[in-house]
């Protein structure tokens, strides 16, 4: 009955829509201004795309008015329900949303048809979310919730009673009961007055915690389990953090014309993972990296460990390391002097000389540069110079490490050695994401692969795959990264021109999971 962390969402006074289908959490979307929801087509592009057959092209619309939020169903075929009550279908009346409201998009008459609906949880709170999945296996008869429980889910919120509530297995399925708690339990937005059986997609709220029932498992967010002071959190290493990437679109203007570069990309990367960014020609690999790092903001949300990289960029930029293709090293400096200068600029001013020296020695060792520490940069080999460029960025101990073609110009042996160095950095709990034109060198060191492909319909980069290396090969029916690129490149680029096919294939697979 161990928890599995799925997704961390940022705390914010602004509203967020957490979307779930029959597989669990899909993504969390910040709601700002006026945002449409519906099924994308070549003629219709929505701010919140739900590309499912039972969702209308213009299904509904969210509207922010100051600190208030409203939803309007725009005459959709299968309707929208808020806390079980159907919205008006005349496209005129609006429903004001409140923290904890549950929106259901799609066909709900058949409660067993899990793949015929999608649920949105509307939240407007500063409580940080950490969504987790918990299996309700056959050996589990009851799951207790409270501040004083020893078996179940223990919460620290003062609004939660010692034994607040329980999920329990009964003859006709799972049910929820309130144990006469002080602040009560709500089910789908309504106060729970007596034990009730649960149906898939039911949402139970206890204080600031949410529990979504999916039959054989729960997805829940109980906020922080332990509160830490700022000083304590700085001293402790990051644990169980995730980089959550939700890009609605990234566009740019060229010759007074708006160009769409990327859209509809949802990826979650865990600490300690090394990820390859693979893509066909013009698919937007560098644009993607720049958007994730916050250098060139996209429409969407990028969070790391619950912090919004866009909203908190001045603080979060110190968590990010970026190694571009071209280095800016001075040939007249030694390797040690180069790192010492970088440490002086990038490490905290209050760090002692002993700690700074210890960090320099550690980085030299991690990148295999200790034997060369007294060598002039101008005398280094190509591989050594590349490792020094990485060391300059790595000296600040970033949590997120992005590299654009770090092995460019290196032979296979040196290039593979560099990838092994990067694997060592990931093993220290960092997220390492790389673009390379020689991906086979990195193959045995990778955890995940992101594949971007350029759509022939809108000429922008889409997510065509995200998963493990072997899953990628199975998905594209090949056994090499070169084979994947050949599948998605255009025919005039020596490819097979199947980008649209694999984009849709991945979207369909994501909807089923």
């Amino acid at each position: 009955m161990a928890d599995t962390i799925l997704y961390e969402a940022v705390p914010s006074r602004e509203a967020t829509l957490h979307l779930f289908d029959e597989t669990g959490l899909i993504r969390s979307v910040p709601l700002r201004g006026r945002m449409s929801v519906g099924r994308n087509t070549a003629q219709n592009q929505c701010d919140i795309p739900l590309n499912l057959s039972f969702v209308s092209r213009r299904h509904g619309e969210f509207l922010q008015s100051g600190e208030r939020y409203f939803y309007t169903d725009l005459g959709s075929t299968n309707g929208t329900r808020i806390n079980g009550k159907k919205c008006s279908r005349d496209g005129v009346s609006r429903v004001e949303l409140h923290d904890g409201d549950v929106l259901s998009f799609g066909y709900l008459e058949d409660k067993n048809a899990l793949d015929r609906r999608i649920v949105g949880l509307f939240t407007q709170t500063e409580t940080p979310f950490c969504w987790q999945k918990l299996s309700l296996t056959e050996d589990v008869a009851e799951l207790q919730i409270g501040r004083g429980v020893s078996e179940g889910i223990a919460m620290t919120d003062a609004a939660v009673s010692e034994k607040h509530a329980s999920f329990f297995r009964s003859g006709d399925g799972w049910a929820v009961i309130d144990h006469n708690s002080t602040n009560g339990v709500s089910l789908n937005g309504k106060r729970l007055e007596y034990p009730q059986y649960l149906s898939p997609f039911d949402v139970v709220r206890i204080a600031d915690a949410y529990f979504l029932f999916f039959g054989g498992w729960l997805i829940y967010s109980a906020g922080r389990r332990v509160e830490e002071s700022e000083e304590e959190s700085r001293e402790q290493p990051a644990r169980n953090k995730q980089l959550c990437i939700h890009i609605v679109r990234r566009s740019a203007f060229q010759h007074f014309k708006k160009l769409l570069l990327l859209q509809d990309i949802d990826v979650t990367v865990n600490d300690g993972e090394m990820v390859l960014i693979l893509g066909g020609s013009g698919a937007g690999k560098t644009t993607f990296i720049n958007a994730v790092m916050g250098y060139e903001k996209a429409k969407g949300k990028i969070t790391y460990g619950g912090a919004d990289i866009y909203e908190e960029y001045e603080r979060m930029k110190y968590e990010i390391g970026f190694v571009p293709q071209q280095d800016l090293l001075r040939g007249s400096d030694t390797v040690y002097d180069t790192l010492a200068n970088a440490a002086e600029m990038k490490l905290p001013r209050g760090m002692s000389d002993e700690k700074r020296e210890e960090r320099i020695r550690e980085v030299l060792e991690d990148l295999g540069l200790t034997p060369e520490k007294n060598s002039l940069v101008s005398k280094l080999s190509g591989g050594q110079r590349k490792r020094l460029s990485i060391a300059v960025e790595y000296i600040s101990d970033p949590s997120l490490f992005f590299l654009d073609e770090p092995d460019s110009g290196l032979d296979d042996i040196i290039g593979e050695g560099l990838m092994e160095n990067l694997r060592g950095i990931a093993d220290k709990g960092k997220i390492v994401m790389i673009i390379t034109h020689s991906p086979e060198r990195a193959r045995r060191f990778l955890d995940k692969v992101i594949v971007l492909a350029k759509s022939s319909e809108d000429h922008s980069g889409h997510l065509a795959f995200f998963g493990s290396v072997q899953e990628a090969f199975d998905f594209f029916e090949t056994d090499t990264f070169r084979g994947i690129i050949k599948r998605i490149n255009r025919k005039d680029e020596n490819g097979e021109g199947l980008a649209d096919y694999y984009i849709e294939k991945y979207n369909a697979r994501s909807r089923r999971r």
Side-chain angles (χ1 to χ4, degrees):
M1 208 169 67
D3 301 342
T4 302
I5 293 180
L6 297 177
Y7 184 90
E8 292 186 350
V10 66
S12 173
R13 289 187 180 89
E14 296 179 331
T16 302
L17 183 70
H18 309 274
L19 290 165
F20 302 83
D21 67 7
E22 77 276 11
T23 69
L25 182 74
I26 303 173
R27 62 184 182 270
S28 293
V29 182
L31 298 176
R32 295 168 186 159
R34 186 186 298 271
M35 298 181 70
S36 59
V37 57
R39 177 162 44 87
N40 276 353
T41 65
Q43 295 76 35
N44 179 72
Q45 297 291 308
C46 295
D47 300 302
I48 307 174
L50 301 177
N51 294 322
L52 300 161
S53 60
F54 55 84
V55 175
S56 298
R57 286 176 293 179
R58 295 183 69 251
H59 200 102
E61 182 180 77
F62 292 90
L63 176 66
Q64 177 186 7
S65 177
E67 294 186 358
R68 301 170 70 191
Y69 292 81
F70 300 86
Y71 176 82
T72 303
D73 186 286
L74 299 177
S76 65
T77 302
N78 292 310
T80 310
R81 291 163 177 78
I82 299 178
N83 299 329
K85 185 177 180 181
K86 197 165 187 178
C87 296
S88 168
R89 294 184 60 186
D90 58 16
V92 177
S93 63
R94 296 185 302 179
V95 178
E96 183 170 0
L97 299 174
H98 302 281
D99 185 33
D101 279 350
V102 180
L103 295 88
S104 299
F105 305 93
Y107 190 79
L108 294 178
E109 272 68 15
D110 183 359
K111 287 202 168 187
N112 293 316
L114 303 187
D115 60 346
R116 295 288 291 166
R117 58 191 139 149
I118 192 166
V119 167
L121 172 63
F122 175 87
T123 62
Q124 191 177 8
T125 175
E126 293 186 54
T127 302
F129 290 98
C130 180
W131 293 106
Q132 304 182 60
K133 182 177 179 178
L134 191 149
S135 296
L136 300 174
T137 54
E138 290 295 329
D139 59 336
V140 179
E142 182 181 14
L143 182 66
Q144 298 181 1
I145 314 294
R147 285 192 296 120
V149 302
S150 57
E151 294 185 3
I153 299 176
M155 299 171 60
T156 58
D157 193 329
V160 177
S161 300
E162 289 292 304
K163 187 178 180 183
H164 197 109
S166 290
F167 294 92
F168 64 95
R169 189 189 300 273
S170 186
D172 293 324
W174 280 88
V176 61
I177 184 173
D178 182 356
H179 295 304
N180 297 315
S181 63
T182 303
N183 293 304
V185 176
S186 70
L187 175 62
N188 297 329
K190 298 177 182 178
R191 180 73 178 246
L192 188 69
E193 302 293 345
Y194 50 86
Q196 285 190 237
Y197 280 105
L198 296 170
S199 298
F201 290 98
D202 278 349
V203 179
V204 174
R205 182 173 183 177
I206 298 172
D208 283 331
Y210 294 92
F211 302 81
L212 284 89
F213 179 72
F214 287 83
W217 37 282
L218 290 170
I219 284 183
Y220 71 97
S221 173
R224 289 180 182 168
R225 300 292 186 87
V226 180
E227 295 293 337
E228 293 180 338
S229 67
E230 277 191 30
E231 185 173 350
E232 287 173 330
S233 63
R234 282 197 302 268
E235 292 175 354
Q236 296 296 323
R239 296 183 300 274
N240 296 328
K241 288 188 177 180
Q242 294 176 309
L243 174 64
C244 302
I245 302 168
H246 170 58
I247 295 176
V248 176
R249 68 175 66 95
R250 167 77 176 97
S251 55
F253 282 92
Q254 186 177 34
H255 303 303
F256 305 103
K257 183 179 180 181
K258 189 175 183 179
L259 300 178
L260 191 59
L261 305 178
L262 293 172
Q263 68 170 319
D264 299 340
I265 298 176
D266 283 283
V267 169
T268 299
V269 182
N270 299 307
D271 272 350
E273 289 186 333
M274 184 169 167
V275 181
L276 172 67
I277 302 168
L278 196 66
S281 178
K285 299 183 293 294
T286 300
T287 301
F288 172 75
I289 275 189
N290 288 339
V292 173
M293 291 190 296
Y295 287 7
E296 299 173 354
K297 293 181 180 179
K299 182 172 183 181
K301 195 166 192 174
I302 314 294
T303 66
Y304 176 66
D308 190 316
I309 290 177
Y310 289 176
E311 297 291 335
E312 304 178 57
Y313 182 72
E314 286 305 310
R315 178 174 71 86
M316 291 302 297
K317 66 183 180 182
Y318 298 105
E319 297 270 4
I320 299 169
F322 174 57
V323 181
Q325 294 182 37
Q326 302 297 323
D327 67 58
L328 298 173
L329 304 175
R330 293 186 301 192
S332 57
D333 287 345
T334 66
V335 169
Y336 178 86
D337 289 339
T338 301
L339 271 188
N341 290 335
E344 187 174 350
M345 289 187 295
K346 296 173 180 288
L347 293 177
R349 293 186 180 276
M351 179 178 283
S352 67
D353 292 342
E354 292 80 8
K355 288 284 188 182
R356 186 178 286 110
E357 182 67 26
E358 181 183 340
R359 178 60 183 162
I360 293 172
R361 287 197 303 269
E362 181 183 7
V363 172
L364 285 169
E365 189 66 28
D366 287 348
L367 274 301
L369 290 170
T370 301
E372 308 300 331
K373 69 176 184 178
N374 295 319
S375 299
L376 289 175
V377 172
S378 61
K379 301 298 183 182
L380 298 177
S381 68
Q384 290 165 345
R385 193 176 179 104
K386 288 286 186 181
R387 293 204 300 273
L388 182 57
S389 295
I390 294 170
V392 167
E393 284 298 314
Y394 186 52
I395 193 74
S396 62
D397 200 24
S399 300
L400 307 173
F401 212 37
F402 301 87
L403 304 100
D404 194 350
E405 297 188 38
D407 57 340
S408 177
L410 303 182
D411 63 37
D412 286 341
I413 300 299
I414 300 299
E416 186 173 353
L418 182 63
M419 293 300 170
E420 188 171 8
N421 291 138
L422 296 176
R423 176 70 258 176
I425 290 174
D427 289 339
K428 291 180 178 291
K430 314 297 183 183
I431 289 176
V432 177
M433 303 183 76
I434 62 169
I435 296 173
T436 175
H437 286 305
S438 304
E440 301 300 337
R441 297 169 173 174
R443 179 169 176 168
R444 66 189 180 93
F445 304 114
L446 296 170
D447 295 295
K448 299 284 178 60
V449 181
I450 294 171
V451 180
L452 301 177
K454 189 173 183 178
S455 166
S456 65
E457 294 184 7
D458 55 35
H459 306 292
S460 68
H462 289 250
L463 185 62
F465 180 80
F466 175 63
S468 71
V469 173
Q470 189 56 54
E471 287 174 335
F473 292 153
D474 293 342
F475 183 82
F476 289 96
E477 300 176 281
T478 183
D479 57 1
T480 65
F481 290 123
R482 182 179 181 276
I484 293 176
I485 296 300
K486 192 170 181 64
R487 291 275 194 265
I488 58 179
N489 267 1
R490 298 197 312 263
K491 292 183 178 180
D492 62 354
E493 296 170 330
N494 196 32
E496 298 174 8
L498 297 174
D500 294 337
Y501 169 77
Y502 282 106
I503 291 168
E504 178 53 36
K505 180 180 176 181
Y506 182 74
N507 287 338
R509 191 186 84 154
S510 298
R511 291 194 293 265
R512 291 194 302 269
R513 294 182 66 175

